[in-house]
């Protein structure tokens, strides 16, 4: 029956979304799977829809108006979408199209009851399910009624909810077309939904079945609670049988009605356990065909399961591909690096090539496999201790996995996993010269890289870079550097533990580390205050900066120099960029634009500093922090000397204070070194990309970001690139933004974020990890984009995560709340440096706290109160 306008379901498959929409394509694919029964039917193609749209010239103007509408103008959206639907429903269906649909109906039986279902080209996609966005009509009887409902399906492409969903997902209304599926109606004993993976935990070995009596509409519409069955490894492991008081039934003459279920049947299960297991087996077959977990709608008639829809479950976090059947436990790299956004393929592969441990990609993020280290008692405690000190939620998540006795195997020792995690390197003398030497070694290594890379290009550049990555890892793994980092962290832990024990004081080290020397990240924030001091007395420069969105990044510094007083301002910004221009938000991804590439990113921060601070603020703030730390040291030591054995305690504490102030600032330097090297790599790779664009190999320079390092190496050698691969990678990267990476992920797909397990909080308080002592109350500024920061003195910054690039913002706020972070991550270190009360690891903080609300941050106790 293949034709331009009507195609039999048996003739289509999932490759034909453009012709028959997502639902039609999936149903066609389902009908080809051995042992899967799909009700007979046909698709009215998108060609028919386009033909109908062409019949009404006024639709063009209406779609133009729709594209221009403000997405927040709900009333205008509602009115215009209703007008478009009316226009479509009033179009007379052309005779040849009527004939094609009628012929299709004749094959089903002209008076057969049918389901008429919308099938848009942008639904049931791996990245956006569009579930429930368009309409379905059940038990439609007779050609005239079917044609009327086909028109309604076409019009339902413009329901208010479908239009809003497309706007939210950045999908152009004109690029989406509507097909319609017409199927013989199944009159079932029971119906419902099967998820081939647990939609809540993500576990791929668990299937859940929701079931009710009659048509599935009773469940979809929320008319009844379903029976819920949980199946694992081929057996029902849990069931909850609901009291099903209502059911939706098909009426003999067409249409449906909800009816009461006889009292004696209400609490009977809609399916037997044997039927549930049989259904899940069918689901596994469907999942294998489509290659990913599925959300499947099913009907049961005469003990025979028929499948009426299958779509991917779009909310599941992907699992790293390993090619084995063993259990694996993965810890998120992004949570440790304070960057949980997805990374582009070049960024992922560069981080993998320069990291000290193997890393596995999933959903555009990186994970470390810790299974071996968890499996051996010798390494397990060290791993849990180090990760738990950084982020207690990671520890709790790992302990949750370990509580399942059978998941992590028991090994006698660490085996190939390496030495126990957290095994302390040999101690180092408390000598500031150690830090000076380490910083000099790092600078010399970066300078040598800059010098030697200049003459490299083509395939020789990639050979050079592979050697450079080994030097990168050598610098990163320098034993003296690791000793210095651990010395600072261990001294901090010692001070907090001992002063809590001896003086009953929590987080005493937070004050003792204020304005510690050699902290390149806190210096970066203070240095931007100095830039503001140069600009503040120059009104023309301030005015120029306020209108900077009209100036591109390429011209910014040159245009700045032309303004009265602008030459000095430009020199100040240039000097800042020379020192810190390699930094940016999400800097572990080499593809992110650096401040040197996009200097206008700094303008809102400079303007905030101009408005909120007096001249000389940087020096004053640093000195105030130093004086507070000294006063705290004197106070702590005098109180200790009054205790039994006080002189010994005071002497030990003094040694640890000296140690922490010597080494804690260096904690930030290795990251600065990494990012400095990354910018050198990036500039060299972009020169290659420009060469490929000039040679006509690449369409645009940034296409290289969607290739791995090795793929880019191959392209440079062969001068050939797969444009379809680049486009697929771009689409995938866009889709990864909708995924929330878990702290811990298992090879079964279970996403575990851990909990704080506290019962000592005030009602309604948001629990987190205390990382910088003190309590502060103020206006919450929920900021997700550094470039859109607009702060007043006393504001509290609330955001998802902060990496070092956020530290210039810290000088202007009174407190910090983040969703991601740990005791030793950058945001925590800088918050302590500046004396800002801070709580990190507050789940969903940016959604639970609204911009402008008054909040109180308890940085010592680790919670946030919403006051208004």
């Amino acid at each position: 029956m293949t034709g331009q306008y009507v195609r039999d379901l048996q003739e289509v498959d999932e490759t034909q979304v453009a012709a028959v929409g997502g639902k039609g394509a999936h149903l066609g694919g389902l009908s080809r799977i051995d042992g899967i029964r799909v009700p007979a039917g046909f698709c009215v193609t998108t060609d028919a829809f386009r033909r109908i749209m062409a019949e009404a010239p006024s639709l063009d103007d209406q779609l133009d108006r729709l594209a221009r509408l403000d997405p927040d103008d709900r009333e205008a959206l509602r009115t215009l979408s209703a007008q478009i639907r009316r226009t479509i429903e009033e179009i007379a269906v052309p005779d040849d199209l009527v004939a094609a649909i009628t012929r299709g109906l004749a094959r089903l039986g002209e008076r057969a009851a049918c389901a008429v279902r919308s099938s848009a080209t942008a639904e049931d996609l791996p990245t956006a399910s569009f579930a429930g966005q368009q309409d379905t009509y059940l038990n439609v009887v007779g050609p005239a009624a079917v044609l009327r409902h086909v028109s309604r399906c076409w019009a339902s492409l413009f329901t208010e909810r479908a239009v809003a969903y497309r706007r939210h997902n950045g999908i152009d209304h004109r690029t989406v077309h509507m097909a319609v599926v017409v199927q013989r109606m199944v009159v079932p004993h029971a119906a419902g939904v099967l998820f081939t993976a647990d939609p809540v935990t993500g576990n791929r070995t668990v299937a859940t079945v929701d079931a009710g009596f009659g048509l599935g509409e009773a469940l979809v519409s929320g008319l009844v609670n379903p029976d819920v069955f949980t199946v694992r490894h081929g057996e029902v492991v849990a069931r909850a049988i609901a009291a099903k008081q209502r059911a939706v039934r098909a009426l003999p003459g067409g249409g449906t009605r909800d009816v009461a279920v006889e009292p004696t049947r209400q609490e009977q299960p809609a399916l037997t356990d044997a039927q549930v297991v049989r259904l899940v087996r069918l689901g596994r077959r469907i999942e294998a065909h489509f290659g990913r977990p599925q959300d499947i709608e099913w009907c049961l008639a005469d003990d025979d399961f028929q499948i009426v829809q299958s779509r991917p479950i779009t909310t599941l976090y992907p699992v790293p591909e390993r090619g084995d059947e063993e259990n694996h436990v993965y810890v998120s790299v992004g949570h440790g690096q304070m960057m949980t956004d997805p990374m582009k393929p070049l960024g992922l592969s560069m981080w993998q090539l320069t990291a000290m441990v193997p890393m596995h990609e999933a959903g555009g993020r990186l994970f470390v496999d810790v299974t071996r280290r968890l499996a051996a008692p010798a390494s397990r405690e060290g791993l849990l201790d180090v990760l738990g000190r950084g982020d207690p939620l990671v520890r709790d998540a790992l302990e949750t996995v370990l509580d399942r006795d059978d998941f992590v195997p028991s090994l006698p020792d660490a085996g190939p996993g390496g030495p126990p995690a957290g095994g302390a390197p040999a101690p180092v003398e408390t000598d500031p010269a150690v830090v000076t030497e380490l910083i000099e070694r790092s600078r010399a290594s970066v300078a040598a890289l800059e010098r030697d890379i200049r003459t490299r290009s083509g395939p020789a550049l990639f050979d050079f870079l592979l050697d450079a990555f080994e030097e990168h890892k050598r610098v990163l793994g320098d034993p003296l550097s690791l000793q210095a980092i651990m010395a600072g962290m261990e001294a901090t832990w010692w001070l907090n533990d001992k002063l809590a024990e001896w003086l009953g004081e929590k987080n005493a080290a937070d004050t003792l580390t204020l304005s510690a020397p050699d902290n390149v990240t806190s210096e970066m924030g203070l240095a931007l205050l100095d830039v503001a001091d140069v600009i503040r007395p120059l009104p023309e420069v301030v005015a120029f900066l306020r209108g900077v969105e009209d100036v591109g990044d390429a011209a910014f510094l040159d245009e700045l120099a032309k303004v009265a007083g602008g030459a000095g301002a430009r020199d100040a910004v240039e000097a800042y960029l020379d020192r810190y221009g390699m930094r940016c938000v999400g800097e572990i991804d080499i593809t992110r634009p650096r401040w040197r590439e996009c200097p206008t990113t700094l303008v809102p921060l400079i303007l905030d500093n101009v408005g909120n601070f007096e001249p000389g603020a940087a020096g004053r703030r640093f000195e105030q922090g130093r004086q507070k730390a000294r006063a705290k040291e004197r106070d702590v030591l005098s109180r200790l000397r009054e205790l039994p054995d006080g002189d010994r305690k005071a002497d030990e504490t003094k040694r640890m204070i000296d140690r922490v102030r010597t080494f804690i600032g260096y904690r930030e330097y290795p990251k600065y070194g990494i990012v400095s090297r990354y910018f050198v790599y990036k500039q060299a790779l972009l020169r290659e990309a420009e060469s490929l664009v000039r040679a006509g190999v690449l369409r645009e320079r940034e296409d290289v970001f969607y290739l791995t390092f090795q793929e880019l190496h191959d392209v440079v050698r062969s001068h050939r690139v797969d444009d379809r691969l680049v486009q697929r990678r771009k689409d995938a990267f866009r889709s990864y933004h909708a995924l929330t990476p878990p702290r811990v992920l298992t090879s079964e797909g279970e996403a575990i974020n851990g909990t704080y397990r506290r019962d000592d909080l005030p009602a309604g308080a948001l629990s987190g990890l205390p990382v910088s002592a003190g309590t502060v109350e103020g206006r919450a500024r929920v900021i997700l984009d550094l470039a859109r920061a607009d702060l007043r003195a006393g504001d509290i910054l609330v955001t998802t995560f902060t990496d070092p690039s956020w530290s210039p913002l810290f000088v202007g706020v009174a407190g910090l709340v983040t969703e991601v972070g740990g005791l030793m991550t950058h945001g925590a270190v800088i918050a302590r440096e500046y004396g800002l009360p801070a709580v990190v690891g507050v789940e969903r903080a940016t959604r639970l706290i609204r911009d402008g609300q008054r909040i109180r941050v308890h940085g010592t106790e680790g919670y946030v109160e919403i006051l208004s």
Side-chain angles (χ1 to χ4, degrees), residues 16-40:
Q16 294 173 48
V17 171
V20 297
K23 191 173 294 154
H26 274 78
L27 283 167
L30 283 164
S31 67
R32 291 159 178 253
I33 304 172
D34 189 36
I36 301 299
R37 293 204 52 200
V38 174

Side-chain angles (χ1 to χ4, degrees), residues 213 243-247 249 259-268:
F213 294 125
K244 300 169 287 296
Q245 296 173 346
R246 313 291 297 174
R249 305 277 185 204
V259 298
V261 175
E262 311 84 86
T264 54
R265 291 187 63 221
Q266 286 178 4
E267 298 201 22
Q268 286 180 4

Side-chain angles (χ1 to χ4, degrees), residues 258-529:
D258 77 89
V259 298
V261 175
E262 311 84 86
T264 54
R265 291 187 63 221
Q266 286 178 4
E267 298 201 22
Q268 286 180 4
L271 297 177
T272 66
D273 280 9
Q275 287 171 328
V276 170
V277 169
R278 177 152 52 97
L279 175 61
V280 169
R281 267 203 300 274
L282 295 174
R284 293 283 176 228
R285 200 175 288 181
I286 293 168
E287 179 183 67
H289 175 83
F290 289 120
R292 55 187 299 157
Q294 298 287 302
D295 161 0
I296 298 165
E297 293 179 26
W298 55 269
C299 297
L300 179 69
D302 302 323
D303 198 37
D304 184 23
F305 284 106
Q306 299 212 39
I307 306 299
V308 293
Q309 190 163 340
S310 184
R311 62 169 76 92
I313 307 175
T314 57
T315 54
L316 298 179
Y317 200 84
V319 180
E321 291 178 19
R322 295 303 295 273
D324 62 34
E325 295 300 311
E326 292 181 20
N327 290 348
H328 295 277
V329 182
Y330 303 97
V331 170
S332 163
V333 173
H335 284 80
Q337 290 295 333
M338 300 296 282
M339 213 294 273
T340 53
D341 287 350
M343 294 166 71
K344 296 190 179 103
L346 185 63
L348 290 164
S349 66
M350 292 287 277
W351 194 260
Q352 286 170 308
L353 285 164
T354 52
M356 303 301 285
V357 293
M359 293 184 177
H360 308 277
E361 185 273 334
R365 282 85 169 181
L366 291 170
F367 294 84
V368 173
D369 186 344
V370 295
T371 322
R372 288 273 180 177
R373 307 240 289 269
L374 280 179
S379 56
R380 182 185 307 139
E381 266 319 305
L383 178 74
L384 291 173
D385 185 50
V386 167
L387 293 178
R389 282 186 182 276
D391 183 345
L393 292 178
V394 172
R395 179 175 185 135
D396 184 79
L398 290 173
E399 287 174 336
T400 301
V401 177
L402 287 167
D403 285 344
R404 294 167 196 159
D405 296 334
D406 57 341
F407 192 79
V408 177
S410 278
L411 295 176
D413 55 48
V428 61
E429 286 299 309
T430 304
D431 181 358
V434 170
V435 173
T436 307
E437 182 189 340
L438 285 167
I439 290 173
E440 191 45 51
R441 281 187 201 175
S442 178
R443 282 181 182 153
S445 176
V446 173
L449 173 67
E450 288 175 327
R451 181 187 68 237
D452 296 342
I453 206 169
R454 284 185 195 129
T455 56
R456 306 306 205 283
S457 64
L461 169 67
F462 289 81
D463 295 335
F464 171 83
L465 282 171
L466 288 170
D467 290 336
F469 297 161
E470 292 310 307
E471 165 67 3
H472 181 122
K473 288 194 273 194
R474 190 196 65 71
V475 172
L476 205 53
D478 181 337
L480 185 62
S481 177
L482 296 175
Q483 287 168 340
I485 291 167
M486 287 308 296
M489 296 204 309
E490 286 172 345
T492 304
W493 298 334
W494 189 96
L495 286 167
N496 279 335
D497 291 347
K498 291 297 183 185
L499 296 180
E501 179 189 336
W502 293 337
L503 298 177
E505 190 170 332
K506 285 187 176 180
N507 302 344
D510 293 0
T511 309
L512 293 166
T513 55
L514 287 171
S515 297
D518 298 311
N519 187 319
V520 70
T521 307
S522 63
E523 287 166 4
M524 177 170 74
L526 297 175
L528 205 61
L529 287 173

